[in-house]
Amino acid sequence: MKKAVKPSSAPGSEVQAFASQAARRLNPKKLRLSKWTAASPYGKERHFMVTEVIQPGQPATRIETIVLEAVYSGRLFSLSWRDLSDGRQWLQGWQ
């Protein structure tokens, strides 16, 4: 996330605001073992790790699905890797 500095009228004072990312660019081949935080917790589960990137049966087909593991409970579920780019649902890293 990039920091944007907004100038102020008082000398030496700065207000920092985080610039919003319009679209997160993700590479599905580099998602394995990446950490994610759910924007709204689901059943006390907020922190997740990508444990597996599911390879398609045919090599020419694109990767579509990943497996997320909840750190708290160890529950596994599959998800389209493109859903991680939605900043309203997922935050990159553990926050």
Side-chain angles (χ1 to χ4, degrees):
M1 206 173 254
K2 298 178 184 177
K3 289 185 180 179
V5 178
K6 183 178 179 181
S8 172
S9 60
S13 66
E14 297 175 339
V15 177
Q16 294 183 354
F18 290 100
S20 63
Q21 291 179 329
R24 207 179 279 139
R25 301 211 38 147
L26 299 173
N27 184 346
K29 294 180 181 180
K30 295 183 179 182
L31 283 175
R32 184 159 160 62
L33 300 179
S34 63
K35 298 169 178 77
W36 295 88
T37 300
S40 59
Y42 176 74
K44 295 185 180 180
E45 297 174 341
R46 183 171 172 96
H47 297 105
F48 298 87
M49 184 182 302
V50 176
T51 57
E52 188 177 349
V53 176
I54 299 176
Q55 299 291 331
Q58 299 174 350
T61 310
R62 293 182 178 183
I63 296 170
E64 289 295 324
T65 309
I66 59 169
V67 176
L68 283 175
E69 179 180 353
V71 175
Y72 180 72
S73 66
R75 184 175 67 99
L76 298 173
F77 66 96
S78 61
L79 180 73
S80 171
W81 71 269
R82 287 183 173 86
D83 290 344
L84 294 176
S85 63
D86 184 8
R88 295 171 295 177
Q89 295 180 1
W90 295 101
L91 305 171
Q92 197 166 13
W94 288 344
Q95 301 174 14

